[in-house]
Amino acid sequence: MSRSRTLLLVAGLAFVAITIGLATDVLTGLDRSIATAIARHRVDALYWPARVGFSLGQNWVFPTASALVAVALLIRRRTVRPLVGLVGVWLFHTLVVGALKLWAGRPPPATGDPHLHAVAAELSQRMSYPSGHAANVVVFSATLGVLLAACNGDPRWTRRLLIVGAVSAAVCVACMVYLGFHWTTDAAAGLLLGIAIRGLAVPFCERMSSTPVRG
């Protein structure tokens, strides 16, 4: 088994383990304890720096950067294949993460309820698990690396963005948990799910972006 497939399998199994741990209430007490401890030591001066770090998971960072590079490839190569590859990754990511959020129905720490399938007044209060921001950074930093490598003809961009993505994901996760936007297991599950989605979907983007330049 290749290293990428092994990583995909390990990430998928770990995600399932966390989900089972939450469904059986094995991990909910840990989540509550961590959230309570952080809330006691939260500093007002760190709010905006943490918001900036959390914003690394927003669509206007890595997905938008990926879209700009995909459009540049479209213009240069006169083919929509790179853009189709990116849209395919985005659709797969959105459907998987969205479906799991709807299934889990988990409220954020602000509600004080760490359980899955909790009843909340609004749909927005049942979308905490898994963290889409964490998965977003992992998946779209990888697509950006693939597209930059195709655009510059330099495969080292995939490794460079792997490092950038890892650091950005760590910062985003730390900030979201510190701010109380997500439970710790939400963040961990989002990272693992992002790794799994990257292994399944990003190779499609890579194939679509490897179209030779037309003369």
Side-chain angles (χ1 to χ4, degrees), residues 24-184:
T24 56
D25 285 341
V26 172
L27 297 176
T28 52
L30 177 63
D31 268 337
R32 186 184 280 114
S33 298
I34 293 174
T36 300
I38 290 175
R40 289 174 180 170
H41 297 88
R42 197 170 287 135
V43 180
D44 290 342
L46 294 179
Y47 176 79
W48 284 110
R51 281 300 298 261
V52 172
F54 173 70
S55 70
L56 290 170
Q58 298 281 14
N59 284 327
W60 54 266
V61 183
F62 289 107
T64 297
S66 297
L68 291 174
V69 178
V71 170
L73 274 170
L74 182 155
I75 295 172
R76 177 184 296 182
R77 297 181 175 181
R78 300 191 294 278
T79 173
V80 298
R81 286 173 60 87
L83 193 57
V84 170
L86 175 60
V87 171
V89 174
W90 181 82
L91 285 174
F92 184 73
H93 170 269
T94 301
L95 290 173
V96 171
V97 174
L100 286 169
K101 281 179 174 290
L102 289 171
W103 169 82
R106 192 186 200 193
T111 66
D113 186 356
H115 297 94
L116 298 183
H117 312 301
V119 177
E122 299 178 6
L123 180 62
S124 61
Q125 292 295 300
R126 303 195 304 271
M127 302 287 282
S128 189
Y129 182 87
S131 167
H133 280 70
N136 203 332
V137 176
V138 175
V139 173
F140 290 101
S141 62
T143 62
L144 180 58
V146 164
L147 290 165
L148 283 172
C151 192
N152 293 282
D154 185 354
R156 291 177 296 180
W157 277 105
T158 56
R159 181 173 298 179
R160 292 167 183 166
L161 266 295
L162 178 64
I163 297 172
V164 171
V167 173
S168 299
V171 171
C172 181
V173 162
C175 291
M176 73 172 66
V177 174
Y178 174 78
L179 290 168
F181 291 169
H182 281 282
W183 302 100
T184 302

